[in-house]
Amino acid sequence: MNLRRDVFQAIADPTRRAILLLVASQAMTAGAIASNFDTARPTVSKHLQILTECELLQQEQNGREIYYHINAKKMKAVADFLEPFREMWDDRFNILEAIMKAKMKEDRREK
C-alpha cells in the first residue's frame, strides 16, 4: 500500500517551512540545506524526504549531487486551496477594523 504524505502536515513543521524558504530562490543540495540548521544531517534528510514525498520539493541529479528545488505547481495548488480562506479572514479583519475605527471616533467625540 502506497501512503501519500499530507501536504498540510508537511508544512505544519517549522523546519520544513524553513527548508521551503531556503530552496524557494535556488536549488540546493542536502548538505547546503543542512548547514543552515543546528540538527543532525539525517534529521534534515528526513525532512527532505517528507517534502519530496508530498511533492513540495523535487530532486534533480547533477553528477554526484542531488539538488532539491521547489515544485511550483504543487505550491500553487496549495496556495489556490488556501486563497478562499485568506479572503474570508481579510474580509472579517476589515470589518473588525472598521468597527474599531468607528468606536475610537465615537470615544474621541465623547471626551
Side-chain angles (χ1 to χ4, degrees):
M1 178 178 359
N2 184 13
L3 295 176
R4 299 288 316 237
R5 294 222 183 243
D6 180 67
V7 169
F8 295 101
Q9 286 179 339
I11 61 177
D13 183 88
T15 301
R16 290 193 283 271
R17 289 194 308 268
I19 290 170
L20 290 171
L21 289 172
L22 279 172
V23 299
S25 60
Q26 67 178 7
M28 299 175 75
T29 64
I33 294 167
S35 69
N36 289 275
F37 298 95
D38 291 330
T39 58
R41 183 162 172 175
T43 303
V44 173
S45 291
K46 182 65 177 173
H47 287 303
L48 291 171
Q49 177 187 355
I50 291 168
L51 291 168
T52 303
E53 286 175 2
C54 68
E55 299 177 349
L56 290 171
L57 289 183
Q58 292 178 323
Q59 297 176 337
E60 183 180 329
Q61 185 94 26
N62 187 356
R64 293 180 55 184
E65 298 285 349
I66 296 174
Y67 285 83
Y68 292 87
H69 58 92
I70 289 283
N71 179 351
K73 287 181 182 178
K74 187 68 167 194
M75 293 296 282
K76 180 162 178 8
V78 172
D80 290 348
F81 174 80
L82 293 173
E83 183 61 20
F85 298 102
R86 188 196 62 76
E87 289 174 3
M88 177 188 67
W89 283 106
D90 279 350
D91 291 344
R92 288 181 180 189
F93 283 124
N94 289 339
I95 292 167
L96 180 59
E97 182 179 31
I99 291 168
M100 292 177 69
K101 283 181 179 179
K103 176 69 173 141
M104 288 172 64
K105 199 180 258 187
E106 183 183 303
D107 288 348
R108 279 191 225 128
R109 277 189 264 141
E110 290 178 0
K111 286 183 179 182

